[in-house]
Every structure is written in structure tokens, then in C-alpha cells.
Amino acid sequence: MTKSSATKKEDVLREFRVREILDATCRVVARNGFQGATVERVAEEAEIAKGTVYLYFQNKDELFTAAVEQGIQNFTGQVRTQVTEALTPIEKLQRLIEVSLELSDTYRDFFKTLLLERNFLAASPNHPEAAHMLDLYLAHIHFIEEIIQDGVRVGVFRPHNVEASAFVLNEAIRGCFQQRALGLTARPVSEDASILLDLFFNGVLNQHQNHEEPVS
Amino acid sequence: MTKSSATKKEDVLREFRVREILDATCRVVARNGFQGATVERVAEEAEIAKGTVYLYFQNKDELFTAAVEQGIQNFTGQVRTQVTEALTPIEKLQRLIEVSLELSDTYRDFFKTLLLERNFLAASPNHPEAAHMLDLYLAHIHFIEEIIQDGVRVGVFRPHNVEASAFVLNEAIRGCFQQRALGLTARPVSEDASILLDLFFNGVLNQHQNHEEPVS
DNA sequence: CCATAATGACTGTACAGTCAGTCACATGAC
DNA sequence: GTCATGTGACTGACTGTACAGTCATTATGG
């Protein structure tokens, strides 16, 4: 019992250290990009020695993979939780966009490189880990897809290629992240969210003048 | 005269070599990512010695920057040319989407990494070149923006935040590139294009008065 | 006082960038 | 035609450096 408790305490400590290092990794990558992020600098940022990093991670690749994965899971997990609370598909999508954009502020460091430098999704030379990353990404899109599908089922959304629209919506949100990360917009998050929602719901066509000549 | 002609010939030869090396760079990057792309491998791919690369480019960074820049300019240039031929804003957007997606096939190698590993837009440590890249990107979005703005002016598009919709459209297209690069879709390009167009024009809401036919 | 965590000097390696040397070809003299 | 000589494009072995990963040593706390 005492022993089990002791083990647990060690585990907690270990987990805490792991988190600390992963957070430091995110900060360093956000500052220098994947390219310029060395284990030494991560250690410095975490205020530990380089060797210590290797007590918690096998190698550099595992460290960076874990950092990205933790970030994705944190993000999608929180979105999922908050969105699920909403009732109707429309409310859910509203929530989805709002929460996503809000979180982009919280996880600024993480997104700055995850989204701008997303090579982790591409062919990582000899790492099947990348495939798992892709799975996480696809799972999130699938989550969005189901919300929209629900909307179609109950009739608030018109029948259309749901797979595609889920994808487009996700890309649009990602695009907003990017604009923010690059400092290209000063719009408040809520405004971005409502613009996005409006576009996604209504499109850009002038419905009244749909097939007609413009008024001259 | 003879001398001037000789000089011209040398220039042409030089330009040819430069192109060859840049193309090789794209192929290598497509295969190994920016990370795994070394000057040695580029030289190998171009079937020249490593030293030769340095006869045409100051250093690795200049080489890679030039490769990306050439790619962006090729792409946006071709899109611009073809889109400008169309008359109405709707036709122009149709063209934009179609041509973009078609080109993604032509420039497959280039897009595979430009779009999946886009760190070149992010803070390149000590390179103001990155800013120029950003300019090219913004110019393209602005080009789209103007088409949509035209559409609003003549009344086919409803008044809305045009800056945002241009941006969203571009991101949606980029997303399609990505899906293709990752091999996540087997849809023909034309189908992707019409789905995208339909979504962008009409949104997903079920309009109360539906006299609509999907735009194709 | 032992066990475990942490350290940082050290090693090996990969790669950017250099440069002395080679080679292919052009020009011109005979 | 053929040899001599000049030119510069091209080469690849070499150098310096940055960095991943190791491990003998030291600190800590239970």
C-alpha cells in the first residue's frame, strides 16, 4: 500500500517533468521553428541539462512527436467537450468555430508552428508515428462531419457532400489560425467566428438575384 | 555583335542550369521534406557535383528560397492568366478553382511540400526573403478578393466581408491540394471543383425558398 | 548511505560550404 | 588537319561546425 502510493507519487512527478519538457519544446519551436529547435535549447528553456531530456524521451524525434501529439490531443479534446454540450447542429457548429478560435489564443505557441509548419503530417522519413498524427487529424474532421450530417438529417442543412464541407470548414478555421499567427488580422475572435459561420451557412451568392441580371 | 550574341547564349545556358537545379530541388524536397533535403542530394538528383550548385546559388538557403519562389510565381502566374480570360465574376471563380486544382497535378512535387510544410511563411530566422514570400501569398489572395468584390458590385454576390471570403476560398482550395497530396481522395479534380464552388456559393443552410440547383 | 535523478563535458556524425585540381572545348598558329 | 595554349565550367575530397546522443561523475532526498 505504502509502496503503491510511493510508486504513484513518482509517476506523478515523472508526468509533471514530461509536461514541463513538452511545454518548453512548444515554446522553443514557436520561437525558432522545427528547424532551429535543438535539444539543447529545449533543455535550456526547461531549465534542465540536456542529458535530463534523455531520461524522459528516447531521442529528439520522440520528443517532438510527443509535443505535437500532446498539442493536438489537448486541442481536439477540449473542442469535443465543449461542442458536445450544445444541442442542435447549428449551435454545435457555432460552438466549434468559437471554441476553436478561442483555443488558438490559449495554445498560441503550439499553433504557431503546428499550423505553419505542418510537415509532421507529410512523409516523415522513417516514422510510422506520422500515420498516427494523420489519424488524429482525420478523427477531428470526422467529428465535424457527423455534426453536419446530423444537420442534414434533421433538415437544417441541405443535402450535399458532407465529407467535403466538413473538410472545408476545418480548413477555413485553420486559415484563421494562420492569419492570427502571422499577425495579419486584428479582428477579435468572436468577429472572425461569426463571419466564418455566416459564410459557411449562407455562401456568397445573392439569393434574390440568383439567376437574374444585376440591377443597372 | 558576335560578342553580345555569345553573352546571350551563356545567359540562356545559365538560366537552363538554374531551372534544372531548382526542379531537382523540388523533387528532392517532395521526396524527403525540407528537413531531409541536403545540397548533396539535390546535386545528385540534378546529376551534377555539389560544388556546381554553389556556382549558381550562394548557399543552401538561397537555393531553397528560390525554389519555393519560382514555384509560387509559376502557379499564381498561370492562374492569373487563365482566370483573367473569363468574363463574369462567377465564371472567374469557377476558372480559379478549376485551374488551381488542375495545376496541383502539374506541380505535384512542388505542392507536396510547399503546402504541407509551409514553414517558409513562418519566421525564417534571419531571412527577410520570407517577407517577400508572404507578399506573393497576399497578392494572390488580393487577386481573389477583387474578383469577389466585382461580384458584389454587380450584385451576383451579396454584400459581406470580402476579405474574409477570399481568404476562406483560398484556404479551401489549399485544403483540396493537401487532401490530394496526402492521397486522401480519389475524386477527379473537376468534381472537387464543383463541390467547392457549390459550397462557396450556396453555403450549407437549407434555404426556406429552395428554387436552387447546385451550381456546376 | 544508498538509490535515483541530474549534469555537462565528450564523441561521432552529418552536412554546409571551400578550393585546388581536372576536363572539355574554343581559339589560333603552323 | 593537328598541335599548343587559354578559359572557365565542373568536380569531389577536405574542413569546420553544429548538434544528437552518451556516460562518468556529482547532487539530492529518503
Side-chain angles (χ1 to χ4, degrees):
Chain A
M1 207 133 115
T2 321
K3 168 131 199 222
S4 141
S5 148
T7 305
K8 206 149 209 169
K9 185 172 181 185
E10 278 157 27
D11 280 358
V12 167
L13 228 82
R14 190 173 181 79
E15 201 152 316
F16 178 74
R17 265 267 183 276
V18 165
R19 251 213 145 61
E20 249 181 4
I21 295 173
L22 288 179
D23 287 346
T25 305
C26 280
R27 287 197 301 277
V28 171
V29 171
R31 221 177 309 122
N32 311 307
F34 278 111
Q35 190 66 245
T38 68
V39 174
E40 195 127 29
R41 238 171 277 187
V42 168
E44 204 179 308
E45 177 74 28
E47 294 179 308
I48 55 177
K50 185 161 77 156
T52 309
V53 174
Y54 288 90
L55 295 178
Y56 296 92
F57 298 92
Q58 292 249 326
N59 51 43
K60 191 194 179 187
D61 229 71
E62 194 190 296
L63 168 64
F64 281 77
T65 305
V68 172
E69 192 171 328
Q70 180 196 255
I72 298 180
Q73 274 175 336
N74 281 353
F75 172 74
T76 57
Q78 283 197 46
V79 171
R80 222 168 253 257
T81 308
Q82 300 224 33
V83 167
T84 308
E85 285 170 4
L87 289 177
T88 71
I90 287 186
E91 280 167 7
K92 278 182 180 171
L93 286 188
Q94 242 161 351
R95 260 290 178 63
L96 176 84
I97 294 173
E98 282 166 13
V99 171
S100 296
L101 291 178
E102 276 160 18
L103 286 179
S104 75
D105 238 36
T106 314
Y107 293 107
R108 183 189 303 276
D109 283 345
F110 172 67
F111 281 116
K112 186 159 175 195
T113 45
L114 169 66
L115 299 172
L116 292 181
E117 193 171 346
R118 45 163 52 189
N119 55 348
F120 68 91
L121 269 186
S124 182
N126 36 16
H127 267 266
E129 289 287 341
H132 183 224
M133 233 60 109
L134 186 55
D135 285 344
L136 291 177
Y137 169 76
L138 291 177
H140 190 60
I141 294 204
H142 193 68
F143 173 68
I144 300 175
E145 205 176 316
E146 282 189 335
I147 297 173
I148 300 175
Q149 190 64 66
D150 259 1
V152 173
R153 210 172 290 133
V154 301
V156 287
F157 301 146
R158 67 190 172 93
H160 66 283
N161 187 321
V162 173
E163 192 202 329
S165 67
F167 183 75
V168 164
L169 180 58
N170 190 59
E171 286 303 311
I173 294 173
R174 204 201 56 79
C176 285
F177 288 160
Q178 180 183 296
Q179 274 208 319
R180 298 186 159 277
L182 292 176
L184 297 177
T185 175
R187 270 199 292 276
V189 164
S190 62
E191 202 178 322
D192 260 6
S194 66
I195 291 174
L196 222 59
L197 210 65
D198 173 44
L199 267 175
F200 186 68
F201 282 170
N202 301 306
V204 298
L205 272 196
N206 197 341
Q207 299 297 333
H208 309 296
Q209 297 289 324
N210 207 346
H211 307 89
E212 304 304 319
E213 305 263 329
V215 186
S216 14
Chain B
M1 200 148 132
T2 323
K3 168 125 201 229
S4 142
S5 149
T7 305
K8 206 151 211 169
K9 186 172 178 186
E10 279 157 26
D11 280 0
V12 168
L13 227 83
R14 191 176 178 78
E15 202 152 311
F16 179 74
R17 264 269 183 278
V18 165
R19 251 213 145 59
E20 249 182 3
I21 296 174
L22 289 179
D23 287 346
T25 305
C26 280
R27 287 198 298 279
V28 170
V29 172
R31 219 176 312 122
N32 311 307
F34 279 110
Q35 189 65 245
T38 68
V39 174
E40 195 127 30
R41 237 171 278 187
V42 168
E44 203 180 308
E45 176 75 27
E47 293 179 310
I48 54 176
K50 186 162 78 159
T52 309
V53 174
Y54 288 90
L55 296 178
Y56 297 92
F57 298 92
Q58 293 249 327
N59 51 45
K60 190 193 180 188
D61 228 71
E62 195 192 295
L63 168 64
F64 282 77
T65 304
V68 171
E69 192 171 328
Q70 180 196 256
I72 298 180
Q73 274 175 335
N74 281 353
F75 172 75
T76 57
Q78 284 197 46
V79 170
R80 222 168 251 256
T81 307
Q82 301 224 32
V83 166
T84 309
E85 284 169 5
L87 290 175
T88 71
I90 287 186
E91 280 167 7
K92 279 182 179 170
L93 286 189
Q94 243 163 348
R95 261 291 180 62
L96 177 85
I97 293 173
E98 282 167 11
V99 172
S100 296
L101 290 179
E102 277 160 18
L103 286 179
S104 76
D105 237 35
T106 314
Y107 294 107
R108 183 191 302 277
D109 282 347
F110 172 67
F111 280 117
K112 185 158 175 195
T113 45
L114 169 67
L115 298 171
L116 292 180
E117 191 171 347
R118 45 165 50 192
N119 55 346
F120 68 92
L121 271 186
S124 180
N126 36 14
H127 269 264
E129 290 288 342
H132 183 224
M133 229 64 104
L134 186 56
D135 285 344
L136 292 176
Y137 169 77
L138 292 176
H140 190 61
I141 294 204
H142 193 68
F143 173 69
I144 300 175
E145 204 175 318
E146 283 188 337
I147 298 173
I148 300 175
Q149 190 65 65
D150 260 1
V152 173
R153 210 172 289 132
V154 301
V156 286
F157 300 147
R158 68 190 170 94
H160 66 283
N161 187 321
V162 173
E163 193 203 329
S165 67
F167 183 74
V168 164
L169 180 58
N170 191 59
E171 284 304 309
I173 294 173
R174 202 201 58 77
C176 285
F177 289 159
Q178 180 182 297
Q179 273 208 321
R180 297 185 159 277
L182 291 176
L184 296 177
T185 175
R187 269 199 294 275
V189 163
S190 63
E191 201 178 322
D192 260 6
S194 66
I195 291 173
L196 223 58
L197 211 65
D198 173 42
L199 266 176
F200 186 67
F201 282 170
N202 301 306
V204 297
L205 273 195
N206 204 348
Q207 303 295 334
H208 294 300
Q209 36 192 50
N210 31 355
H211 48 260
E212 86 225 37
E213 292 199 12
V215 179
S216 54

